[in-house]
Amino acid sequence: MSGIVKKMNPETTNAFPDPNTLHFMSTNHPMFDLLNVRYITRMPDVPPPDPSQFTQVRGAEMNVFENRRAVGAAWVTGKTEAVDSLEAFIDRISSTGFDPKSTALLEGAPLELDASSAASPISITSWSPHRITADCTSNGRGLAVFSEIAFPGWKAAVNDKVTPILTTDYILRGVPVPSGKSTIVMEYKPTSYRLGLFLTGCSAMG
């Protein structure tokens, strides 16, 4: 987010001078939508955000606005582009007219997807800190993107088949899905956890 703030204001040398609170000069950036930021607050004496994107839902000591452009917990895209660095990612996502919901950015070679898969229905059926399941009905080979951080240790299966999780849009999780109905399961299974179970089992056997 520091790089995005500096992209929005090139004169900024320290994006977040306050170590306790992150203040943004603008919330009109696709990254907020990708992170599914649904609500923002502003002090009453601060001008409201862009009404074409935000709707005020509450006014009190802090005014609360809903971001109608938030992409949701998961979506399916039928197009990918390759980026080779954080700078390239920030440049592309910040470019005029870029739609983060229709195009996913990947490091390395882009995937061959069916454009018809874009906006295919997908829904989260269960969510916990260590396990997420989703049902998807794709119109073609697509990429299911989750508004979840691509932290090491997460594993995925599509229709009970192990499937790689692709780091998408630099920080999110993407899972390729075939045409038709699919059930996606993502579980947090870090190596340290499996090693701990193994050592515990060995200790019990001893």
Side-chain angles (χ1 to χ4, degrees):
M1 294 306 293
S2 177
I4 290 173
V5 169
K6 292 179 179 179
K7 181 70 176 181
M8 290 190 290
N9 183 10
E11 297 179 357
T12 298
T13 57
N14 185 357
F16 303 115
D18 184 345
N20 300 312
T21 306
L22 303 184
H23 296 279
F24 296 92
M25 68 194 73
S26 172
T27 50
N28 186 26
H29 192 280
M31 198 65 218
F32 292 98
D33 308 329
L34 285 173
L35 292 172
N36 200 28
V37 176
R38 294 187 58 198
Y39 298 96
I40 66 169
T41 60
R42 286 198 174 185
M43 297 294 292
D45 59 344
V46 176
D50 184 355
S52 66
Q53 179 181 351
F54 293 92
T55 300
Q56 184 169 347
V57 294
R58 182 168 297 179
E61 294 182 5
M62 297 283 285
N63 291 330
V64 181
F65 299 86
E66 182 178 6
N67 179 15
R68 300 192 305 275
R69 212 170 61 185
V71 296
W75 62 97
V76 179
T77 182
K79 180 181 178 182
T80 63
E81 293 181 7
V83 291
D84 58 8
S85 66
L86 174 60
E87 291 74 18
F89 164 72
I90 293 175
D91 285 342
R92 184 66 182 109
I93 199 174
S94 302
S95 61
T96 302
F98 179 77
D99 181 3
K101 198 165 185 177
S102 65
T103 302
L105 302 179
L106 302 175
E107 288 191 85
L111 295 179
E112 293 186 8
L113 304 177
D114 297 324
S116 59
S117 66
S120 294
I122 182 171
S123 60
I124 304 294
T125 54
S126 67
W127 186 97
S128 72
H130 295 90
R131 193 174 193 271
I132 299 172
T133 63
D135 287 338
C136 174
T137 303
S138 183
N139 297 320
R141 176 173 165 78
L143 182 68
V145 184
F146 292 78
S147 186
E148 297 281 343
I149 302 300
F151 194 78
W154 281 90
K155 311 296 181 182
V158 177
N159 297 329
D160 297 323
K161 295 182 180 179
V162 176
T163 304
I165 295 178
L166 305 178
T167 300
T168 305
D169 296 325
Y170 215 80
I171 60 171
L172 303 181
R173 301 179 210 155
V175 179
V177 292
S179 177
K181 294 184 178 180
S182 296
T183 297
I184 305 166
V185 178
M186 287 192 292
E187 293 183 287
Y188 185 58
K189 294 182 176 180
T191 302
S192 58
Y193 175 75
R194 298 196 298 273
L195 179 60
L197 288 179
F198 173 75
L199 294 176
T200 299
C202 291
S203 176
M205 293 174 61

